[in-house]
Amino acid sequence: MADRKAELERKKARLAQIREEKKRKEEERKRREQVEEAAKASKKGPDPSEIERKRIETEQLLKDIGIEEQKRAQAAVPSMVAAEPPGVTQKKAQPSADDRPLPTLARKSLKLSLTDTSVINIPPREKVAYSKETQTIVEVQEKEESEEEIEPPPEVEEPPPDKKEDEEKEEEAQRPRELTEEEKQQIVLSDDFQSFINNTSRVMERALAEDMDIFYDYGGQDLEEREGPEAGAKMSLQRQFNDERWSRYRTVTYLDWSAQYPELLVASYNNNEESPNEPDGVCLVWNMKFKKTTPEYIFHCQSPVMAATYAKFHPNLVVGGTYSGQIVLWDNRSNKRTPVQRTPLSAAAHTHPVYCVDVVGTQNAHNLITVSTDGKMCSWSLDMLSNPQESMELQHKQSKAVAVTCMSFPPNDVNNFVVGSEEMAVYTGCRHGSKAGINEIFEGHQGPVTSIDCHPATGQVDFSHLFLTSSFDWTVKLWSVKHQRPLYSFEDNSDYVYDARWSPIHPAVFATGDGMGRLDVWNLNNDSEVPTASVSLDMQPAINRVRWHSSGHQVACGDADGKVWIYDIGEQIAVPRTDEWQKFVRTLSDMRANMVDSQDEGGLSSGRTSMSSSPLR
């Protein structure tokens, strides 16, 4: 019971506290409202009734003090007596008969009011000083200009009336007259008009149906007139392929044309260091047939792609060799961009970067051949990449394994091959037989070999024993498997030469690309000292790969900025004449003779050196 009373007392005290708090807040609110109203009233100005009330109170207060309205009006009038001398004041103070009492001046009551104070800042007047000399010059100039403007125009003498009539007659005579219907029909039926209509109608038909050069002259006369007689011996840029996402900040590592679809070109790329979240390896398929700027197919994998090629007898398959040593296989019939097959990372396969992939054989019997820098050559079936069908270690005379950087097979040969290495040497070898492995060594380069290409040998004479190599030593060398020394060394470049490729239709023509972005096309039948045609890429990025189109009229090159360039080769360079093969035979004979002479001179000079260095006894 006592607890219940105590609880009630607490509640009552709490309730009284709440009421006091509420009352205090109410008073504060009223006080705040009064302050706000007073502030608003001060802004709006005092009420007129309030002013009248204050005036009445002021008058009553002055009356109570004893100051009447009349006295206040007199006090307001200024006294002039105080300002005069004393004598004058006494005279005027004496009364006279004419003096009359002056009426008292009644002053009207003043109404006081409250006004707002406004501050106005008036800047001082600016003093402008003029220079007499300047003013004089300006006045003189203005005067001269005004005089020039006032000059009357020169008077034009009007021709006499007779002369004007003669001129009008001459103009009338020069105007073309309208042809009669008979004259029009005669022009339409003329041979010149018929020839003009036939030619122009053919051009218009091309213009309406095609978006290509409709004014192309197959006779070459217009080309020679526009660009000179050497116009057919030039290269011209046709297309450029690059993709903002997939090829930017990547390097083109390999190029290959499709044998079944000649308009398709596959390009492989390494990793993009600017985008670590993107796949490291990319393959893009570009289409030359249409003017689209995006790739036809996009493939990628988790390791940089160092080599890529079309499966020769499977137009839908693209094979890639990666930096990790894996061989990957993409299929454009699949909806996936990732490989449909890949080799395992095991000792049975490659464990080093794979820079060489090629499909050799026939339609019914073919294999995928791959070589890595660990010196292992593997043969695969495209139907199963789980294990290689064959594996071979490439060693020269029981020495260490050859670090292969490039590989090439002669045309229509699946057994013999040539490879270039990081050790600056070139090797020949074979896959089967008693001499399987590395057979011979060719020395001549002073740097790692970057590319190797066997002669395609399509023509009257067999040149399949020839092959080209390029190197970091700034040279391109021509070799024959019959001689272990180079037949000729092309030393026109001033940077690393990354690739050299034979033309597929001309026996003496090949193309090279170097580290300064220069694409050279050589014709050995014309000149072996300097290239026949040369062009430099914009910004001069390094050209890593060069590939001829199967037609022999176009060259594709890939650079270090991820761009693929397609150049048209002039007909004077690309198309061989009937005597080109015989001329190339003579060129090779001259090169061979020069090589023998240089070797003889080298032997004699070395003999003289040894004799002069030997001591006399």
Side-chain angles (χ1 to χ4, degrees):
M1 196 66 181
D3 296 339
R4 180 69 175 168
K5 286 181 179 181
E7 187 177 355
L8 288 173
E9 290 295 332
R10 282 195 301 273
K11 287 183 178 181
K12 286 180 182 180
R14 179 62 180 162
L15 186 59
Q17 185 179 357
I18 291 172
R19 286 174 179 170
E20 289 178 2
E21 185 70 21
K22 187 176 181 182
K23 185 177 179 182
R24 185 178 60 79
K25 288 182 179 179
E26 187 68 22
E27 290 177 355
E28 288 181 359
R29 186 181 63 77
K30 288 180 179 180
R31 194 180 304 114
R32 227 177 6 254
E33 288 178 357
Q34 291 176 358
V35 172
E36 290 176 359
E37 289 177 0
K40 288 179 181 179
S42 63
K43 289 181 180 179
K44 292 180 181 179
D47 193 6
S49 60
E50 183 70 20
I51 296 171
E52 186 65 24
R53 186 181 61 78
K54 289 183 178 180
R55 188 185 65 76
I56 294 170
E57 289 179 358
T58 306
E59 290 291 340
Q60 186 63 35
L61 182 60
L62 293 173
K63 194 178 288 185
D64 293 341
I65 295 172
I67 302 175
E68 296 181 0
E69 187 176 355
Q70 185 177 358
K71 291 181 180 179
R72 282 186 282 110
Q74 290 176 358
V77 178
S79 175
M80 302 297 295
V81 180
E84 294 180 357
V88 177
T89 305
Q90 290 175 4
K91 276 185 182 180
K92 287 188 179 181
Q94 292 176 359
S96 63
D98 297 331
D99 288 340
R100 296 182 179 90
L102 296 172
T104 58
L105 298 174
R107 185 171 180 268
K108 191 176 179 180
S109 62
L110 300 175
K111 291 185 179 180
L112 303 177
S113 62
L114 298 176
T115 59
D116 294 334
T117 305
S118 60
V119 180
I120 300 175
N121 187 13
I122 302 175
R125 185 176 179 182
E126 184 180 358
K127 293 182 180 180
V128 181
Y130 295 95
S131 174
K132 184 176 180 181
E133 183 181 356
T134 306
Q135 291 295 318
T136 305
I137 292 173
V138 172
E139 287 175 0
V140 171
Q141 289 178 352
E142 290 179 354
K143 188 174 180 180
E144 290 177 357
E145 290 176 1
S146 62
E147 288 176 357
E148 290 177 1
E149 292 176 358
I150 293 170
E151 278 186 8
E155 295 182 359
V156 179
E157 294 182 0
E158 294 186 359
D162 297 338
K163 193 174 182 181
K164 188 182 292 185
E165 290 177 2
D166 294 341
E167 289 179 356
E168 289 178 357
K169 288 180 181 179
E170 287 180 5
E171 288 179 2
E172 209 170 307
Q174 289 177 359
R175 288 175 189 166
R177 68 179 182 85
E178 187 176 354
L179 299 176
T180 63
E181 292 296 329
E182 185 178 353
E183 290 173 337
K184 291 179 181 177
Q185 191 68 18
Q186 186 177 359
I187 292 174
V188 169
L189 296 176
S190 65
D191 293 338
D192 293 339
F193 186 81
Q194 291 292 326
S195 175
F196 170 76
I197 289 297
N198 290 334
N199 292 333
T200 53
S201 61
R202 191 180 298 112
V203 171
M204 291 306 297
E205 286 177 355
R206 294 180 190 174
L208 294 174
E210 300 290 340
D211 60 347
M212 300 175 67
D213 185 10
I214 57 176
F215 297 100
Y216 185 78
D217 181 16
Y218 290 96
Q221 295 179 359
D222 293 343
L223 188 65
E224 290 186 5
E225 290 177 2
R226 289 198 305 267
E227 301 182 12
E230 298 297 324
K234 294 181 180 178
M235 293 186 290
S236 60
L237 179 64
Q238 188 200 34
R239 296 287 298 275
Q240 177 189 337
F241 295 112
N242 68 298
D243 188 84
E244 189 69 19
R245 177 184 176 186
W246 293 108
S247 65
R248 192 180 183 189
Y249 301 122
R250 296 179 187 266
T251 299
V252 178
T253 57
Y254 216 84
L255 294 173
D256 190 37
W257 294 93
S258 172
Q260 284 78 8
Y261 303 105
E263 67 270 17
L264 297 183
L265 172 69
V266 62
S268 62
Y269 303 83
N270 66 352
N271 60 319
N272 181 3
E273 296 180 357
E274 299 292 332
S275 299
N277 296 326
E278 295 286 347
D280 285 344
V282 173
C283 271
L284 303 179
V285 177
W286 301 100
N287 196 329
M288 287 282 297
K289 190 174 184 179
F290 305 104
K291 299 300 181 183
K292 57 183 292 188
T293 58
T294 55
E296 193 77 17
Y297 296 102
I298 300 172
F299 304 121
H300 55 75
C301 62
Q302 294 306 315
S303 180
V305 183
M306 310 312 295
T309 184
Y310 271 104
K312 193 176 297 183
F313 306 103
H314 301 272
N316 303 109
L317 301 181
V318 176
V319 183
T322 65
Y323 190 80
S324 64
Q326 276 188 322
I327 308 299
V328 293
L329 182 70
W330 292 284
D331 192 340
N332 60 16
R333 295 168 295 185
S334 174
N335 294 325
K336 300 189 301 181
R337 293 181 174 180
T338 54
V340 295
Q341 283 193 73
R342 67 184 74 204
T343 61
L345 288 173
S346 65
H350 298 295
T351 57
H352 284 62
V354 178
Y355 291 101
C356 316
V357 292
D358 197 4
V359 177
V360 298
T362 62
Q363 174 72 42
N364 298 322
H366 55 270
N367 295 99
L368 171 65
I369 308 299
T370 60
V371 186
S372 61
T373 54
D374 58 356
K376 182 180 289 186
M377 173 180 282
C378 296
S379 175
W380 309 82
S381 170
L382 293 174
D383 297 329
M384 185 180 65
L385 296 180
S386 58
N387 285 304
Q389 292 181 333
E390 296 176 1
S391 181
M392 178 174 58
E393 295 288 339
L394 300 181
Q395 294 179 337
H396 179 63
K397 294 181 180 180
Q398 304 301 322
S399 62
K400 65 178 183 178
V402 177
V404 178
T405 57
C406 48
M407 173 186 67
S408 181
F409 281 84
N412 303 321
D413 195 339
V414 299
N415 186 39
N416 299 303
F417 59 88
V418 288
V419 293
S421 67
E422 294 179 353
E423 294 86 9
M424 304 178 290
V426 179
Y427 302 91
T428 59
C430 56
R431 295 172 54 206
H432 307 106
S434 58
K435 294 183 178 180
I438 296 295
N439 295 329
E440 294 182 0
I441 182 172
F442 297 78
E443 296 179 333
H445 280 296
Q446 304 299 318
V449 181
T450 55
S451 72
I452 191 166
D453 189 33
C454 291
H455 198 285
T458 55
Q460 307 164 4
V461 184
D462 183 17
F463 296 118
S464 60
H465 59 93
L466 299 177
F467 61 91
L468 284 171
T469 59
S470 62
S471 173
F472 281 175
D473 63 2
W474 302 4
T475 66
V476 176
K477 297 188 185 299
L478 175 63
W479 307 77
S480 172
V481 295
K482 302 174 183 178
H483 305 277
Q484 291 187 334
R485 304 296 298 175
L487 297 178
Y488 198 82
S489 179
F490 306 94
E491 301 177 355
D492 186 64
N493 299 91
S494 57
D495 205 329
Y496 297 160
V497 185
Y498 288 102
D499 206 356
R501 295 287 164 174
W502 288 105
S503 167
I505 61 174
H506 199 297
V509 170
F510 64 92
T512 64
D514 66 8
M516 296 185 68
R518 201 178 83 177
L519 175 65
D520 297 329
V521 176
W522 299 73
N523 187 344
L524 299 183
N525 288 340
N526 294 341
D527 198 336
S528 59
E529 297 292 333
V530 293
T532 304
S534 181
V535 66
S536 294
L537 304 185
D538 293 340
M539 307 301 292
Q540 295 185 341
I543 297 178
N544 296 327
R545 285 291 173 261
V546 175
R547 284 295 182 279
W548 286 85
H549 190 265
S550 58
S551 65
H553 291 270
Q554 293 172 332
V555 171
C557 56
D559 65 19
D561 292 339
K563 297 178 182 177
V564 177
W565 308 73
I566 310 296
Y567 280 92
D568 288 331
I569 309 300
E571 290 189 3
Q572 293 185 16
I573 305 175
V575 180
R577 295 188 294 270
T578 54
D579 61 341
E580 296 288 352
W581 279 264
Q582 297 300 326
K583 287 177 67 176
F584 192 43
V585 170
R586 291 193 293 271
T587 302
L588 291 175
S589 299
D590 294 341
M591 289 181 175
R592 205 171 290 117
N594 293 334
M595 179 193 68
V596 172
D597 292 344
S598 62
Q599 287 179 351
D600 292 342
E601 290 178 3
L604 290 173
S605 62
S606 62
R608 294 193 191 104
T609 305
S610 61
M611 288 176 63
S612 61
S613 60
S614 60
L616 295 175
R617 295 184 180 178

